[in-house]
Amino acid sequence: MNNNQEQLVEKRVTYSLELNGKFILIENVPARINEEAGEQFFAPSTVMLLQQIILDGQEPKRVIQTPVYNYAT
C-alpha cells in the first residue's frame, strides 16, 4: 500500500456541479478524501448514480438561493 492510499478517509460530502447555468448540489455522497490535499475520489458506481440523478431530472429534496458575486480586478 502506498502512502496516498493510507491518507484516504471515507466520508460523506456535498457534490457540486454547474450545468446549463444552474448550480446543482447533491448531499451525502460517499467519497474517499485525501485530507492533506483535499482531493475527493468517487467510486465508479457512485459517479454513475450521480449522473443518473442529474440526467433524470429528479425532483430535488429542497431548493436554495445562492448569492453570486463578481470578482472585479
Side-chain angles (χ1 to χ4, degrees):
M1 189 180 278
N2 69 36
N3 288 339
N4 286 340
Q5 289 177 332
E6 293 174 341
Q7 296 174 359
L8 296 180
V9 177
E10 296 282 335
K11 289 192 174 183
R12 297 275 174 163
V13 300
T14 298
Y15 180 83
S16 61
L17 168 74
E18 184 179 348
L19 181 65
N20 299 327
K22 294 182 180 178
F23 196 59
I24 299 169
L25 301 175
I26 303 176
E27 298 177 313
N28 299 310
V29 179
R32 292 179 13 208
I33 310 297
N34 179 323
E35 290 187 317
E36 196 173 302
E39 293 178 285
Q40 300 178 347
F41 300 94
F42 301 97
S45 59
T46 300
V47 173
M48 288 177 61
L49 185 54
L50 287 170
Q51 291 173 343
Q52 182 180 347
I53 290 168
I54 294 165
L55 296 176
D56 285 353
Q58 295 182 17
E59 187 70 26
K61 182 175 107 179
R62 68 180 192 273
V63 176
I64 60 174
Q65 289 184 315
T66 304
V68 178
Y69 298 92
N70 186 37
Y71 178 82
T73 55

